[in-house]
């Protein structure tokens, strides 16, 4: 049985921090499923299709990574996909409390699935999708923080708005 991890998130949009985490995850797991959550209460800038397209293009050269979206409980989804692990990233201590609560809830809901945390690369500890959007909407230079396709799609999105 291959060791499969689900890496869930909003990915609104995907950043180099997320990609860094996926690279690290590939050293530990045989396959990673990047799973875009469709039912969070967060208001998103990009549609699910746009988010998945950006992820697909950014990870086109990674045969061990697949991209999907899911509705409903994450642990149910992980189970359906035969994943034993939920992969999450930690940037700074500020992530800890929320991630801790989430992991405990998921453990309560499905004790067979473990949450595994990996530390992001130092270059990306400050980087979040929300701060990135904030910078981009005001015309900040976001080159080098996200894949090329994301730079393009952010420009397009804010031009249209
Ligand atoms: P969510 O809405 O579930 O928090 P995100 O798309 O913001 O989804 O993040 C998905 C996962 O990626 C989370 O575990 C988050 O901690 C992690 N993550 C976000 N930004 C970074 C980053 N710069 N480096 C590493 N991991 C990150």
């Amino acid at each position: 049985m291959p060791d499969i991890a689900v890496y869930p998130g909003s990915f609104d949009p995907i950043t180099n921090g997320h990609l860094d985490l996926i690279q690290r995850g590939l050293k530990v797991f045989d396959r990673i499923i990047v799973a875009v959550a469709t039912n969070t209460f967060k208001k998103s800038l990009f549609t699910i299709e746009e988010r998945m397209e950006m992820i697909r293009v950014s990870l086109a050269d990674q045969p061990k990574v697949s991209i999907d979206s899911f509705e409903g409980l994450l642990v149910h989804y992980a189970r359906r996909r035969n994943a034993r692990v939920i992969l999450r990233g930690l940037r700074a201590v500020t992530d800890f409390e929320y991630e801790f609560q989430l992991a405990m809830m998921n453990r309560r809901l499905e004790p067979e699935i473990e949450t595994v945390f990996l530390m992001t690369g130092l270059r990306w500890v400050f980087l979040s999708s929300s701060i990135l959007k904030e910078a981009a909407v005001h015309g900040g230079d976001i080159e080098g923080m996200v894949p090329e396709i994301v730079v393009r799609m952010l420009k397009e999105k804010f031009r249209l708005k």
Side-chain angles (χ1 to χ4, degrees):
M1 276 275 279
D3 239 343
I4 304 171
V6 169
Y7 180 36
S10 323
F11 304 106
D12 186 39
I14 191 156
T15 69
N16 287 354
H18 295 125
L19 292 174
D20 174 282
L21 209 84
I22 291 165
Q23 292 304 336
R24 288 171 203 282
L26 285 172
K27 295 185 196 158
V28 184
F29 304 105
D30 299 324
R31 275 186 54 211
I32 294 179
I33 302 167
V34 181
V36 183
T38 62
N39 60 349
T40 54
F41 295 110
K42 281 188 187 171
K43 205 176 157 325
S44 57
L45 175 67
F46 291 102
T47 65
I48 296 286
E49 289 70 31
E50 288 170 331
R51 285 183 261 163
M52 288 180 68
E53 178 60 16
M54 287 185 276
I55 301 172
R56 209 172 283 123
V57 171
S58 311
L59 289 163
D61 57 348
Q62 295 289 350
K64 291 177 175 174
V65 180
S66 51
I67 295 120
D68 197 5
S69 63
F70 71 99
E71 264 181 280
L73 275 186
L74 171 61
V75 288
H76 289 168
Y77 172 75
R79 198 152 225 212
R80 279 204 305 280
R81 300 297 310 261
N82 292 319
R84 284 191 310 113
V85 167
I86 293 169
L87 175 63
R88 294 287 288 178
L90 287 178
R91 281 160 292 190
V93 275
T94 41
D95 280 339
F96 183 80
E97 188 158 359
Y98 172 69
E99 292 292 340
F100 181 79
Q101 286 180 345
L102 199 67
M104 285 304 175
M105 175 58 98
N106 284 330
R107 181 184 287 172
R108 171 80 195 265
L109 295 169
E110 176 49 271
E112 295 290 303
I113 294 177
E114 293 294 343
T115 301
V116 170
F117 296 100
L118 292 178
M119 299 292 187
T120 186
L122 257 188
R123 292 173 71 189
W124 317 115
V125 286
F126 67 94
L127 186 56
S128 70
S129 300
S130 43
I131 288 181
L132 182 92
K133 284 180 279 190
E134 193 71 34
V137 74
H138 298 298
D141 182 8
I142 54 163
E143 211 101 10
M145 297 185 221
V146 287
E148 204 42 54
I149 175 133
V150 177
V151 176
R152 252 187 291 129
M153 288 193 55
L154 273 168
K155 279 189 184 150
E156 207 164 291
K157 186 69 79 175
F158 290 134
R159 194 158 38 83
L160 292 176
K161 277 205 157 187

